[in-house]
Every structure is written in C-alpha cells, then in structure tokens.
Amino acid sequence: MKRRPKLHALICLLLAWLSSSSSSATAQAAFSPEQPLLFNFFTGANESWFEYPETAIGGNYTIPTLLERPQVGIAISGGGFRAATLGLGWLRALYMLNITSAARYLTSNSGASWLNAAFSFQDKVPLDAFLGPYI
C-alpha cells in the first residue's frame, strides 16, 4: 500500500501541537496515556492502486466476512429527524428485500446517523421488530 509520509508527519505534528497547547493544566493531567498515540491514516481511495484496508486480502485490517459479501453499500442522507424517519423507511424496504444483510457498508451523515447507529449496534430485539411493520 502506498504511503504518504509527508501527510502522516504533518498530522503527527498537528496532534502533538494540539496536545501541548492546552491551556488547562487539569485537562493535560486528565489525559495521560501510558503509550504514545498510534493511528493509521489511509489515503488515495480514488487512486487505482488503493485497497480498502478492511477488504485487502492478507492485510492487517482484513475483515473476512466483508469479503464474502458483494460490493454493495447503502447510504442514508442527512437532514435531521426527517432524514432518520425517511431512512427508517428505506432500511425497512431494503431489509424486506434482503439487501441489508448482503451489503458491505451502511453509511450516513447528520440526522440519519442516529438511525444508523441504532440499526447497526442494537442487539436487544430482532431487526424485523426494530424496523417495525410495513403499513
């Protein structure tokens, strides 16, 4: 995978500056990690050489169950509570068509993210009960 060392170094410098420029001594004392902050930053998604880390075969971040699914993603647009309500209808329809279980990704922004989080992480009730009946 191609790396962007200059961008990586710039982000590290920015994070170091942000953590050292806090004016509150209590804020600095509250965050005292035992190890340095480690992160991976992937760029180039629009380049032909790019492989998404979660689907790169043999990579460190591969999620095998994603490789078994077709390259289908579901996107729910934002717009506050109305977006969440409309997205619920879309998810209900896609669930009834067995598309949600086949999709690799579910993404959202703004108000629809409230629905996405609940849909993706709730495990108290079956999805058909969570989505409700089609009327």
Side-chain angles (χ1 to χ4, degrees):
M1 181 176 297
K2 189 175 177 182
R3 304 263 185 209
R4 309 268 175 150
K6 290 180 182 177
L7 182 60
H8 179 75
L10 178 64
I11 291 172
C12 289
L13 287 172
L14 178 63
L15 289 172
W17 177 78
L18 287 173
S19 66
S20 67
S21 65
S22 174
S23 61
S24 170
T26 56
Q28 287 182 352
F31 180 71
S32 179
E34 295 177 14
Q35 298 178 7
L37 176 66
L38 300 175
F39 65 94
N40 291 301
F41 189 80
F42 302 98
T43 61
N46 57 341
E47 304 291 337
S48 61
W49 52 261
F50 185 82
E51 287 186 291
Y52 286 94
E54 65 272 15
T55 58
I57 297 174
N60 293 336
Y61 305 99
T62 304
I63 302 173
T65 55
L66 286 182
L67 299 174
E68 299 167 2
R69 296 180 179 197
Q71 292 188 23
V72 173
I74 300 169
I76 307 171
S77 64
F81 187 72
R82 290 177 292 175
T85 305
L86 183 61
L88 177 61
W90 292 338
L91 283 178
R92 183 182 294 135
L94 293 172
Y95 177 79
M96 291 175 68
L97 295 170
N98 292 321
I99 294 174
T100 57
S101 60
R104 279 192 185 182
Y105 302 102
L106 174 61
T107 185
S108 60
N109 67 336
S110 192
S113 295
W114 290 102
L115 169 66
N116 187 356
F119 179 80
S120 298
F121 295 107
Q122 76 83 26
D123 59 358
K124 301 291 183 193
V125 297
L127 282 179
D128 55 345
F130 173 80
L131 293 171
Y134 177 76
I135 299 174

